[in-house]
Amino acid sequence: MKVVVIGAQWGDEGKGKIVDYLANEAQIIVRFSGGANAGHTIVIGEEEYALHLIPAGILYPDKQVILGAGMVIDPVALFKEIDMLNERGINTTGRVFIADRAHLVLPRYIQVDKERDAARKKPIGTTGRGIGITYSMKSDREGIRIADLTSKETFGDLPDEDRAFLEPYIERLLPMSIDLSTYLQYHKNAQILFEGAQGTLLDLDLGTYPYVSSGMSCAAGAAIGGCVGPRALDKVLGVFKAYSTRVGNGPFPSEFGATNEDALCRFVRDLGREYGVTTGRPRRCGYLDLVALRYACLSNSIDSLVMTHLDVYDTLEDVKACVAYRIGDRIVENFPASIEALNNAKPVLRSFRGWQKPLFKALSYNDFPIAAMEYIEFIERFCETPIDIVSVGYDRKETIIRRSPWTK
C-alpha cells in the first residue's frame, strides 16, 4: 500500500511527527519534494531530532529512506545531517538513497537566492537556502542532477567553481544513487510512505502565488517526485494544525491581528513552539482557516485529515475558527486565487466552547472531552473529510488513531 502525507496549510503542520509515527508500519519512506528549506522536529522521549532533508522514518533502524526526484539537495546540508544522525547512534549506512533524477543545490544558487529576494519590490521571505534558484535552473534546463555527476560532458560544462564544490562529494553521493521507478517497482508489495514538504498553500500551482515555494507540495507531487503513476497511490493524508501559522510574507486571512489578539498570538506561538526549525523565525499565527483547509481537501483529493497541536488549546475558555471571509461587502466561502482578495479578506469567525482539560492524558478518542469532540466533528462536517488521527503532544505516544491509514 502506498500512502501520501502532505501539509494541508502553509507548512509546519507537524508532518514530521506524523510520518515518523506512521513509518513504524512502512518499509520505505520517500520524500518527494522540497529541500533543506523544510524542517521536521521528531521527539522520542527525551530525544529531539531536527531533520531537513532526510525522511523522518530514518529513526527506525529497519527502514529504507529515499530522497525523491522532486527534491533539490544541498550536499553540505545532506551530509551534515547524516553525520549528525550517525553521531547520535542512528546508523544510516545502506539505508539512505537518492533518486538519480534529483537536482543539486550549488553555493552560487544560495547567494543568488538571497540577493534576488532582497531586491524584490515585494520580498517573498524565502529561507535563503537556494531552493527557488535550483528549481528555476531546473526549469531552464540548466540544472545539475545526481545522474549528471558521471557525465563527462554535463559535468565538464559546469563552471570551475561548481566542479570544485561537487568533486569532494561525488564518491559519497553516487553509492546512494538509485533509479527510483525501478526500485519501487521491485518493492511494489511493500508498505510505502510518501512524505511531502511545506504545504498545499505553498504549492507553486495551488498555493498563494507568488508567495509560495518553488516545488510541488501538493498530493500530485508525490507521483511526480516519487517516480510513480498517480494510480499507484492508495491514500492521501492531509496534516493540519488546530490553528493556522505561516512563515514569510503573503496573505493570511485568519491571522491574529487586532490589539486584543496579541496575547493569544504569544500564547499560541510559545506553547506551540511556533518558531521555524530551519530559520528560527517566529511564525505568524491565526485562527484555524476552514475555508483554506476545505480547499486543500478538494484540490488534493484528501482521503482523511490528521489534526495536530490540539493540546495547545487545552486551557482556553473558548476556541474560534474561520468559516468564511468578508471581502468588502461580500461573504466569500471559497478560497480565492486572487492575492488582492486574500489580502483584503477578514475572517468570519465561529466560536466553540473550550474543553479546559489536558488532552495528552487521553488513551483513545473516547477519552476526549465532549467540547474537543465537538470542535473536531464540526471540522469534519465543514471539510466533508474525516479526521482519522489526532496528535495531542510532541511525543510518538501522544497520538490518537481513530482509523488506521494503512487500510483502503
Side-chain angles (χ1 to χ4, degrees), residues 298-328:
L298 292 172
S299 58
N300 290 282
S301 297
I302 290 175
D303 294 293
S304 67
L305 289 163
V306 180
M307 186 182 207
T308 66
H309 290 243
L310 184 58
D311 54 299
V312 170
Y313 279 163
D314 279 356
T315 61
L316 299 185
E317 292 183 4
D318 71 304
V319 173
K320 294 184 176 69
C322 170
V323 295
Y325 304 143
R326 185 180 298 279
I327 304 176

Side-chain angles (χ1 to χ4, degrees), residues 15 133 231:
K15 296 183 297 297
I133 302 302
R231 288 189 297 175

Side-chain angles (χ1 to χ4, degrees), residues 25-275:
E25 296 187 50
Q27 285 84 50
I28 299 168
I29 299 89
V30 181
R31 164 94 176 268
F32 63 81
S33 66
N37 57 334
H40 294 332
T41 301
I42 313 298
V43 179
I44 305 171
E46 299 298 318
E47 295 291 325
E48 188 170 306
Y49 301 85
L51 302 175
H52 302 276
L53 287 165
I54 305 293
I58 191 65
L59 300 180
Y60 292 91
D62 59 338
K63 312 300 178 185
Q64 309 297 315
V65 302
I66 302 171
L67 284 69
M71 290 187 67
V72 292
I73 299 163
D74 179 346
V76 176
L78 173 63
F79 290 113
K80 180 179 179 182
E81 200 163 305
I82 288 175
D83 292 344
M84 176 274 293
L85 289 167
N86 288 329
E87 289 167 6
R88 296 184 62 179
I90 307 297
N91 183 13
T92 63
T93 305
R95 298 178 52 221
V96 180
F97 301 98
I98 307 174
D100 54 11
R101 288 175 166 81
H103 280 246
L104 291 162
V105 179
L106 300 174
R108 61 186 173 94
Y109 297 172
I110 297 172
Q111 186 60 34
V112 171
D113 189 6
K114 294 175 181 177
E115 292 173 354
R116 183 173 293 182
D117 203 48
R120 293 181 195 271
K121 184 177 181 180
K122 295 181 179 179
I124 303 298
T126 75
T127 60
R129 299 286 178 125
I131 307 303
I133 302 302
T134 308
Y135 277 117
S136 177
M137 296 295 283
K138 175 181 177 177
S139 296
D140 286 343
R141 281 84 77 191
E142 294 182 3
I144 180 79
R145 305 172 302 160
I146 296 291
D148 299 326
L149 296 175
T150 59
S151 169
K152 290 183 179 179
E153 181 178 351
T154 304
F155 190 74
D157 286 343
L158 289 175
D160 292 344
E161 63 179 300
D162 293 346
R163 292 200 308 274
F165 167 73
L166 289 170
E167 281 170 349
Y169 294 105
I170 292 176
E171 289 188 2
R172 295 187 73 180
L173 287 168
L174 290 182
M176 302 164 67
S177 173
I178 60 169
D179 175 342
L180 183 52
S181 291
T182 301
Y183 182 92
L184 293 183
Q185 173 62 21
Y186 182 79
H187 294 281
K188 62 182 179 181
N189 295 322
Q191 300 265 68
I192 302 174
L193 196 58
F194 290 86
E195 172 188 349
Q198 286 85 43
T200 294
L201 302 178
L202 291 177
D203 182 83
L204 185 60
D205 293 300
L206 300 182
T208 52
Y209 186 90
Y211 300 96
V212 292
S213 185
S214 300
M216 296 187 71
S217 49
C218 61
I224 298 171
C227 295
V228 297
R231 288 189 297 175
L233 303 175
D234 296 297
K235 185 172 284 189
V236 178
L237 306 185
V239 185
F240 75 103
K241 282 189 284 211
Y243 48 90
S244 300
T245 64
R246 178 165 195 162
V247 172
N249 300 325
F252 188 1
S254 67
E255 185 171 14
F256 300 140
T259 303
N260 63 349
E261 295 174 319
D262 288 347
L264 182 57
C265 182
R266 289 193 300 271
F267 172 83
V268 168
R269 181 179 289 152
D270 292 341
L271 194 58
R273 304 186 198 178
E274 297 300 347
Y275 297 87

